[in-house]
C-alpha cells in the first residue's frame, strides 16, 4: 500500500468492495476482501514535514477527499506509463498528482516502476530481473545521479524554511 501517503495525512479507504479490487490479484485487495484491516486507526506522523514519493501504489484507496488533509510539501515521482507491461509503471503517480494540493511533480520518461530502486548487482539481476531490468533506452545509474540531486535539493529547501525547527 501507499503507506507514505498515510504517514503524511492521507486517509486510505480500507474496506471490502472497492471497485478496483473486484478483478485484482493485488495482495492488498485480497486482504481487504477477507476483512484484514488494521486494528487501529491510521494516523499521520506529525514529525514528517516534507515527503518524497516515487510511484506510490495503489492510488485507488486514496480519493481526492482522502488526500485533502495533506498539508506538507510533497515531491512526487512517476515512472512512464509506456513501460506499463508490469502493471505498475506510471499507473498511479499521475492520479495522486491530481489529488494533492500542489506537488513538485517529476515524470521520468522511459522509467519502469522499479527504476527508482538502486542499481542491481549481477546476482540481484539474476534473482529478480523484473526489479533490476530497465527499458533499453533508460540508464538507471545516470537517472539516479539527477534523482538524488533533486531529492536532496527538495529536502534542503523545506528544512531550510524552518519547518523542521
Amino acid at each position: 500500500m501507499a503507506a507514505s501517503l498515510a504517514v503524511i495525512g492521507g486517509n486510505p479507504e480500507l474496506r471490502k468492495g472497492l471497485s478496483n479490487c473486484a478483478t485484482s490479484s493485488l495482495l492488498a485487495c485480497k486482504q481487504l476482501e477477507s476483512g484484514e484491516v488494521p486494528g487501529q486507526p491510521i494516523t499521520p506522523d506529525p514529525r514528517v514535514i516534507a515527503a518524497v514519493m516515487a510511484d506510490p501504489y495503489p492510488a485507488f484507496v486514496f480519493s481526492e477527499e482522502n488526500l485533502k488533509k495533506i498539508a506538507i510539501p510533497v515531491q512526487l515521482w512517476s515512472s512512464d506509463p509506456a513501460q506499463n507491461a508490469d502493471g505498475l509503471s506510471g499507473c498511479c503517480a499521475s492520479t495522486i498528482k491530481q489529488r494533492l494540493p500542489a506537488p513538485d511533480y517529476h515524470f521520468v520518461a522511459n522509467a519502469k516502476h522499479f527504476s527508482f530502486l538502486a542499481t542491481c548487482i549481477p546476482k540481484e539481476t539474476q534473482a529478480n530481473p523484473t526489479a533490476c531490468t530497465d527499458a533499453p533506452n533508460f540508464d538507471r545509474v545516470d537517472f539516479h545521479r539527477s534523482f538524488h540531486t533533486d531529492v536532496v535539493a527538495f529536502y534542503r529547501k523545506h528544512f531550510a524554511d524552518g519547518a523542521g525547527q
Side-chain angles (χ1 to χ4, degrees):
M1 289 277 195
S4 55
L5 289 165
V7 167
I8 64 171
N11 183 22
E13 189 170 346
L14 303 177
R15 62 173 175 81
K16 289 182 181 182
L18 293 175
S19 60
N20 289 64
C21 281
T23 59
S24 176
S25 62
L26 187 64
L27 176 61
C29 284
K30 290 177 182 180
Q31 291 170 324
L32 291 174
E33 290 304 310
S34 69
E36 294 177 50
V37 296
Q40 300 179 39
I42 297 172
T43 57
D45 187 334
R47 298 171 296 175
V48 179
I49 60 170
V52 174
M53 292 175 227
D55 266 1
Y57 180 84
F60 64 82
V61 298
F62 291 99
S63 66
E64 186 172 352
E65 177 71 21
N66 292 6
L67 294 178
K68 73 179 186 178
K69 290 184 181 178
I70 295 176
I72 66 168
V74 174
Q75 186 178 73
L76 181 62
W77 292 79
S78 178
S79 57
D80 192 338
Q83 302 299 324
N84 197 22
D86 58 12
L88 296 170
S89 298
C91 81
C92 300
S94 62
T95 300
I96 296 296
K97 172 190 169 204
Q98 301 304 316
R99 297 175 184 174
L100 289 174
D104 175 14
Y105 182 73
H106 298 261
F107 172 79
V108 186
N110 301 315
K112 292 183 178 182
H113 177 73
F114 294 109
S115 297
F116 294 104
L117 298 176
T119 303
C120 299
I121 60 172
K123 184 177 177 181
E124 293 167 329
T125 302
Q126 186 177 12
N128 193 348
T130 300
C132 295
T133 305
D134 295 304
N137 49 355
F138 186 82
D139 183 335
R140 192 180 297 203
V141 172
D142 186 51
F143 163 69
H144 275 268
R145 284 186 194 106
S146 61
F147 176 60
H148 294 170
T149 298
D150 288 347
V151 168
V152 168
F154 174 81
Y155 279 127
R156 281 190 174 144
K157 174 186 176 193
H158 294 290
F159 291 150
D161 287 345
Q165 298 181 17

